[in-house]
Amino acid sequence: MQEGNRGNLETEIDKLLNVEKQMRLAGDVAGTRKAVTEILQLCFEAKDWKLLNEQIVNLSKKRGQLKQAVTAMVQQAMQYIDETPDIETRIELIKTLNNVSAGKIYVEIERARLIKKLAKIKEEQGLIAEAADLMQEVAVETFGAMAKTEKIAFILEQVRLCLDRQDYVRAQILSRKISPRVFDADTTKEKKKPKEGDNVVEEAPADIPSLLELKRIYYELMIRYYSHNSDYLEICRCYKAIYGIPSVKETPAHWIPVLRKICWYLVLSPHDHMQSSLLNSTLEDKNLSEIPHFRLLLKQLVTMEVIQWTSLWTAYRDEFENEKNMLGGSLVDKAAEDLRQRIIEHNILVVSKYYARITLKRLAELLCLSIQETEKHLSDMVVSKALVAKIDRPMGIVCFQVAKDSNDILNSWSMNLEKLLDLVEKSCHQIHKETMVHKAALKV
């Protein structure tokens, strides 16, 4: 900047500073706000970024500075961030505004937005850890005036950065700040007008996604988190939630890959009540008829028949490999190994339904495994309480019957006696009825 122009700028600013002082001491909110914003505008038009930063700090430190003036100043300067000539100037301006707004509740939303901008710059520079640390400083869930969608978007950004830096514990803690029920809120209802004394909730910025889009982002992030632990059932439930989003259900190109993922993760999930319930509800889905190969796969799991692993893997290997090219990416690394494990577990459960006692050798033949592998898988299922079984190793016999204690035996006898007496009573009633009908017919 030329010396003459610099001198004129400083003269103009000095005049406005005198006006600002008079207005501030008089308690004139509108006048003070106008004076501080004009000072910043002059610095911006002159492209004197150093002076702009100095004036922001000086004006915020003035004795008895009005809250409204500080708010207007921060909001005004935030508009200049995208106009900065280089990244260093941008970071300097953001840091200045961040320092000015620190600890001030009336500009907490602006500070959150500033930190988000700074974190994005750090991320673009490859400093993921720094960006994540910056974002974690802000607890947006306590901001009463921030729009719900903006809060959710901010927390999701915190979760994403934690996942990027592989901080899975903190990612889980942050994700719990969002209740999945918030995505089921009816957005068509008219907003209630705030009562007098209530906090006025600000409108979310235009770049914040809609609630349904945030729902999709939330579940995609949770899939990333659960994939780290190979928690197949939770991954399946996340895909189930994405599958229910209207924008996904409307287009077959969107819902077919999601439904495929649901089927795969259902098959990969260990057998329990939740898995069984999801399996049966998915089989009832009419859309499954569009991918009959997967319908057949699920049908095999609910049918009490032994599945041959080699024939199943031959039939579905191409589908399994093709999953890498589908929406949502490939399955987790050890999915193929776990798929074989689930089929073995299914086969053991099927055998336990039909046999009370079976030799270990015969069980190994049915499972197409060695005796050592059969014993290992059977023991793992007993330890995880998925199955009740005992192995007589010297005799080589597996017993699937549960040993009953005296109370169970007495209860069983009692129930059998009740059923017998109930049957006798019903029989007597039928005989008596037939006799009465016969006597009435004879009288006529």
Side-chain angles (χ1 to χ4, degrees):
M1 185 185 291
Q2 294 177 359
E3 288 296 325
N5 291 343
R6 174 87 185 197
N8 292 337
L9 176 62
E10 287 178 354
T11 306
E12 289 293 322
I13 287 172
D14 286 340
K15 286 179 185 176
L16 285 168
L17 283 171
N18 289 329
V19 173
E20 184 272 336
K21 184 178 179 181
Q22 290 171 12
M23 296 295 177
R24 173 164 44 83
L25 295 175
D28 187 339
V29 174
T32 311
R33 191 192 293 130
K34 189 179 178 186
V36 296
T37 50
E38 281 185 10
I39 290 169
L40 299 192
Q41 187 64 26
L42 282 173
C43 295
F44 171 67
E45 287 171 359
K47 302 296 179 187
D48 193 334
W49 300 102
K50 187 180 177 184
L51 186 62
L52 176 66
N53 288 327
E54 287 172 4
Q55 289 301 328
I56 290 168
V57 174
N58 292 336
L59 287 166
S60 66
K61 287 182 178 177
K62 296 283 186 184
R63 184 168 58 86
Q65 186 59 275
L66 303 173
K67 293 178 182 178
Q68 294 90 337
V70 174
T71 305
M73 188 167 60
V74 171
Q75 289 174 349
Q76 175 92 352
M78 282 177 73
Q79 296 172 17
Y80 304 151
I81 291 170
D82 293 333
E83 304 294 327
T84 49
D86 51 56
I87 200 77
E88 287 80 12
T89 311
R90 186 171 302 175
I91 291 171
E92 191 61 37
L93 179 56
I94 292 172
K95 283 183 175 177
T96 302
L97 291 171
N98 196 9
N99 293 334
V100 166
S101 56
K104 297 180 175 71
I105 294 174
Y106 49 91
V107 282
E108 61 186 4
I109 294 175
E110 285 77 10
R111 184 166 186 265
R113 290 170 184 168
L114 284 165
I115 286 174
K116 194 175 178 183
K117 279 179 182 286
L118 186 57
K120 189 153 187 70
I121 292 168
K122 294 287 182 188
E123 188 185 0
E124 286 168 359
Q125 292 174 340
L127 305 169
I128 303 292
E130 278 189 41
D133 290 336
L134 276 169
M135 290 291 281
Q136 282 159 35
E137 290 176 10
V138 189
V140 288
E141 65 275 10
T142 62
F143 295 0
M146 186 180 267
K148 181 170 70 175
T149 51
E150 190 175 358
K151 279 184 193 178
I152 295 167
F154 196 95
I155 295 168
L156 290 177
E157 193 67 11
Q158 290 176 325
V159 174
R160 184 186 65 79
L161 285 167
C162 284
L163 290 172
D164 286 350
R165 73 184 291 194
Q166 297 182 343
D167 187 351
Y168 295 102
V169 174
R170 195 169 271 110
Q172 185 192 28
I173 293 166
L174 290 166
S175 69
R176 285 179 177 170
K177 291 180 180 180
I178 301 172
S179 169
R181 284 179 294 182
V182 78
F183 300 116
D184 300 326
D186 190 358
T187 52
T188 57
K189 289 182 181 177
E190 289 184 10
K191 290 181 181 176
K192 292 180 181 178
K193 289 183 180 178
K195 294 176 185 176
E196 195 174 344
D198 283 357
N199 286 332
V200 178
V201 178
E202 286 192 15
E203 287 290 325
D207 61 335
I208 299 296
S210 65
L211 197 62
L212 287 172
E213 183 62 21
L214 288 170
K215 180 179 181 179
R216 186 185 59 78
I217 296 166
Y218 168 76
Y219 282 110
E220 283 175 355
L221 289 172
M222 293 316 294
I223 287 165
R224 280 182 63 189
Y225 169 72
Y226 289 123
S227 295
H228 167 66
N229 300 322
S230 297
D231 193 339
Y232 298 123
L233 190 62
E234 288 299 331
I235 296 171
C236 175
R237 290 175 70 184
C238 290
Y239 274 115
K240 199 91 172 167
I242 293 171
Y243 182 66
I245 297 172
S247 60
V248 175
K249 268 205 160 181
E250 285 166 5
T251 317
H254 290 160
W255 64 253
I256 286 176
V258 176
L259 190 55
R260 283 171 62 100
K261 287 285 192 299
I262 291 169
C263 293
W264 276 123
Y265 284 111
L266 267 175
V267 175
L268 288 164
S269 302
H271 178 77
D272 61 13
H273 295 299
M274 178 66 77
Q275 189 260 3
S276 182
S277 174
L278 280 172
L279 193 61
N280 288 303
S281 64
T282 306
L283 271 169
E284 290 170 10
D285 192 340
K286 291 176 182 176
N287 287 340
L288 206 59
S289 58
E290 296 291 323
I291 43 174
H293 217 40
F294 284 87
R295 185 181 183 83
L296 182 63
L297 178 64
L298 297 186
K299 202 78 178 169
Q300 286 184 71
L301 281 177
V302 294
T303 308
M304 283 290 111
E305 290 180 7
V306 172
I307 301 169
Q308 290 295 328
W309 163 250
T310 47
S311 58
L312 180 115
W313 184 240
T314 305
Y316 288 93
R317 185 170 188 168
D318 290 341
E319 293 284 3
F320 189 88
E321 295 295 334
N322 191 37
E323 209 62 42
K324 293 174 185 174
N325 308 318
M326 302 294 283
L327 187 76
S330 58
L331 305 175
V332 297
D333 296 336
K334 62 190 192 80
E337 184 187 322
D338 286 334
L339 179 62
R340 182 170 178 268
Q341 176 81 7
R342 293 294 96 81
I343 299 303
I344 291 167
E345 287 172 5
H346 167 81
N347 290 343
I348 291 172
L349 286 169
V350 169
V351 172
S352 71
K353 295 286 182 189
Y354 292 109
Y355 289 86
R357 296 169 83 243
I358 187 172
T359 62
L360 201 56
K361 186 181 177 184
R362 176 61 181 148
L363 180 60
E365 286 173 10
L366 288 169
L367 300 178
C368 301
L369 298 171
S370 67
I371 291 174
Q372 287 78 12
E373 279 186 301
T374 304
E375 193 174 315
K376 180 189 174 295
H377 288 297
L378 191 60
S379 302
D380 289 343
M381 288 186 74
V382 171
V383 169
S384 65
K385 296 184 179 178
L387 182 73
V388 176
K390 285 186 178 180
I391 304 172
D392 185 344
R393 295 185 81 179
M395 296 291 290
I397 293 173
V398 181
C399 180
F400 292 112
Q401 284 182 323
V402 183
K404 292 184 179 179
D405 61 11
S406 55
N407 288 329
D408 290 333
I409 294 167
L410 285 169
N411 288 335
S412 177
W413 286 353
S414 174
M415 283 178 68
N416 289 339
L417 280 170
E418 279 180 23
K419 286 178 183 176
L420 179 64
L421 291 170
D422 190 44
L423 192 62
V424 169
E425 190 179 343
K426 283 180 180 176
S427 301
C428 291
H429 178 71
Q430 290 292 337
I431 292 165
H432 186 63
K433 184 181 173 183
E434 288 291 330
T435 307
M436 294 297 288
V437 169
H438 185 63
K439 282 181 181 179
L442 286 173
K443 284 179 182 178
V444 174

